Amino acid sequence: MLAICKREFIESFKGFKSIIVIAIFLVTAYYSADFSNFLLSLDADFTSEEEQILHTFGIAALIMVFGMLFVMGLSHDTVNREVHERTIRFLVTRTSRSSIIIGKFLGIALFWVVCLLASFLIITIFVHEFDVTTFLQSTSLAIYYSAVTVLVSVLIKKPGFTMFLSVVVGIAFPIFNGWVTYTSNAWFSWMKYFLPFYYLDDLSLNYKLFVVLLLAGVLVMIALLVFRRREC
């Protein structure tokens, strides 16, 4: 499992798309910190909580609006590519199916944790304060997105179709999730309990953060159950 996690983590850094995404996060972090310092220099009447949000708003908004698109765009074929190229047979003979799914999930999630950590460290250099709450909330979102990506890659066999689906879902997910979270429509409002945005609207650390991680765990378990029943 650790070997698969390590391979997936390293592979996530390779390729032109990965470089672009990493650059977007780092540039956003830099200008987010720079712009927040500019606003604070105007002596506006911000509370301490508002100042924290101001520093990390760019990264938080980036992961909420484009996070799913980025994660699925880079790793949409993490499982079905192995199945399509038949390299999955070598993995299955050497390790368990549980190790394959969990290892790939951890590798993808770790890549995004590192990207977020680097972004928040850049902000910390400028503002001399590390926003733990926003970092953990953003990390939990990235972990949730990683779980969705692994599940989709298990459910859909063709890498070409998941590439197309990653764009559609990546764009539609934040819109739908935001609407479901605040809608009063009884037919859809119940869905907010299965989506992450509902649990991340609080500025303080609480149990809701762990609910997002629990949802991610459930998605990985579903992916594992499906993968165990599938012929490779």
Side-chain angles (χ1 to χ4, degrees):
M1 182 176 70
L2 292 178
I4 294 174
C5 173
K6 179 181 177 181
R7 190 187 73 167
E8 195 68 32
F9 174 71
I10 294 174
E11 287 293 326
S12 296
F13 283 95
K14 297 179 180 179
F16 186 65
K17 290 190 295 183
S18 301
I19 295 173
I20 291 177
V21 170
I22 293 171
I24 290 173
F25 269 85
L26 297 182
V27 169
T28 301
Y30 172 80
Y31 282 105
S32 179
D34 191 46
F35 184 65
S36 66
N37 282 336
F38 169 73
L39 290 179
L40 293 174
S41 69
L42 300 177
D43 294 326
D45 188 18
F46 292 110
T47 66
S48 58
E49 287 185 343
E50 288 173 340
E51 287 182 7
Q52 274 196 332
I53 295 173
L54 197 63
H55 293 321
T56 57
F57 176 78
I59 291 296
L62 186 66
I63 195 68
M64 288 188 72
V65 177
F66 298 107
M68 181 68 85
L69 180 64
F70 288 157
V71 177
M72 291 195 70
L74 292 182
S75 306
H76 66 90
D77 58 352
T78 183
V79 177
N80 57 24
R81 182 187 69 250
E82 302 270 14
V83 176
H84 185 261
E85 295 177 356
R86 300 187 183 278
T87 54
I88 195 71
R89 296 183 178 182
F90 298 101
L91 294 177
V92 170
T93 57
R94 295 181 179 182
T95 186
S96 66
R97 297 191 177 214
S98 301
S99 296
I100 295 173
I101 296 300
I102 296 175
K104 284 182 172 293
F105 163 70
L106 292 177
I108 296 169
L110 183 59
F111 167 79
W112 290 104
V113 170
V114 170
C115 288
L116 287 170
L117 180 60
S119 301
F120 275 78
L121 287 176
I122 289 176
I123 294 173
T124 303
I125 292 172
F126 286 91
V127 304
H128 309 293
E129 184 178 3
F130 190 89
D131 188 352
V132 176
T133 301
T134 306
F135 171 71
L136 292 178
Q137 289 180 336
S138 300
T139 299
S140 67
L141 264 182
I143 292 173
Y144 180 92
Y145 296 154
S146 301
V148 172
T149 301
V150 171
L151 176 59
V152 170
S153 190
V154 169
L155 291 176
I156 300 176
K157 296 181 178 180
K158 295 183 178 180
F161 187 69
T162 50
M163 181 172 62
F164 167 76
L165 193 63
S166 67
V167 177
V168 176
V169 174
I171 295 173
F173 181 83
I175 299 173
F176 179 73
N177 195 168
W179 177 74
V180 165
T181 301
Y182 298 105
T183 186
S184 58
N185 189 319
W187 289 98
F188 296 96
S189 61
W190 60 271
M191 295 181 183
K192 65 185 178 184
Y193 299 109
F194 300 97
L195 298 172
F197 288 3
Y198 173 73
Y199 301 100
L200 300 177
D201 60 351
D202 202 330
L203 300 180
S204 59
L205 287 176
N206 52 48
Y207 75 94
K208 291 182 179 180
L209 184 69
F210 297 99
V211 176
V212 179
L213 299 179
L214 178 62
L215 291 174
V218 171
L219 294 175
V220 173
M221 287 303 299
I222 294 174
L224 179 56
L225 291 173
V226 173
F227 190 60
R228 281 177 175 172
R229 294 173 178 271
R230 177 159 295 172
E231 290 289 337
C232 294

